[in-house]
Amino acid sequence: MHLFADCGIAEIVDPETEKALGIGEEGEIVVTPLWNEAVPLIRYKTGDVGRLLPYQPCPCGRTHPKMSMVKGRVAHIAKVDGKRVLPIDVEEIIAGIPGLGEEYQIILDQPGELDRLKLKAEYQPEIKDVAALKNQLGEALYRDLGVESEVELVPLRSLARALFKAQRLIHS
Ligand SMILES: [Zn+2]
């Protein structure tokens, strides 16, 4: 996604400390539109999570800098053992493991930072060795996100269908 550098300034900041982050680092997108006349905004915190991409010539011919797609909302970050986890991170891991369903829930059972990721996911009816599948998911979460987890696998269609990403964060 190109940013039109003559129309505004985009920065990425740490959502907690509000300190500027470098190119490629993931954080909250902060924008300063340069052409707004009626409603000037200076360093507006969008609440969206993304990152700026390293500059390189683009096949489309534009020379403007580029940004990643928006990965999620700052409000949906689960902080686990010093790492920030978004629902999409978990979703991608689940989608990469055959035998799991699409639905999942991230259980937030205490305020603030968690020491491990508590997760409920579904397994397909043909799965015989549910324990092995559960281990596989736990290992993938550790490998890709660097967090310890506590996974519970339940039969397909046991979890309520989520209409929005936010509904996959369950405060218990
Ligand atoms: Zn381009």
Side-chain angles (χ1 to χ4, degrees), residues 33-121:
L34 299 176
W35 289 9
N36 279 20
E37 287 180 9
V39 188
L41 295 171
I42 298 173
R43 302 194 81 206
Y44 175 74
K45 295 175 79 182
T46 60
D48 289 328
V49 176
R51 60 197 170 84
L52 297 172
L53 303 181
Y55 183 77
Q56 53 186 19
C58 187
C60 78
R62 290 184 182 89
T63 54
H64 287 289
K66 288 208 269 194
M67 198 185 88
S68 71
M69 298 303 283
V70 170
K71 206 177 154 193
R73 298 284 297 165
V74 170
H76 302 159
I77 293 174
K79 203 147 181 237
V80 186
D81 193 23
K83 284 147 193 115
R84 298 195 186 101
V85 177
L86 278 168
I88 187 76
D89 296 317
V90 171
E91 195 163 313
E92 284 172 357
I93 290 170
I94 287 177
I97 299 178
L100 292 175
E102 288 176 6
E103 215 49 63
Y104 62 92
Q105 291 177 343
I106 297 168
I107 313 292
L108 305 171
D109 57 357
Q110 61 187 63
E113 188 164 337
L114 308 169
D115 56 352
R116 68 208 183 299
L117 185 68
K118 281 181 97 173
L119 181 67
K120 274 190 193 181

Side-chain angles (χ1 to χ4, degrees), residues 10-30:
E11 300 169 84
I12 305 293
V13 303
D14 183 303
E16 282 155 282
T17 65
E18 301 186 344
K19 292 260 185 303
L21 296 174
I23 299 286
E25 288 186 285
E26 194 171 283
E28 181 165 8
I29 302 165
V30 171

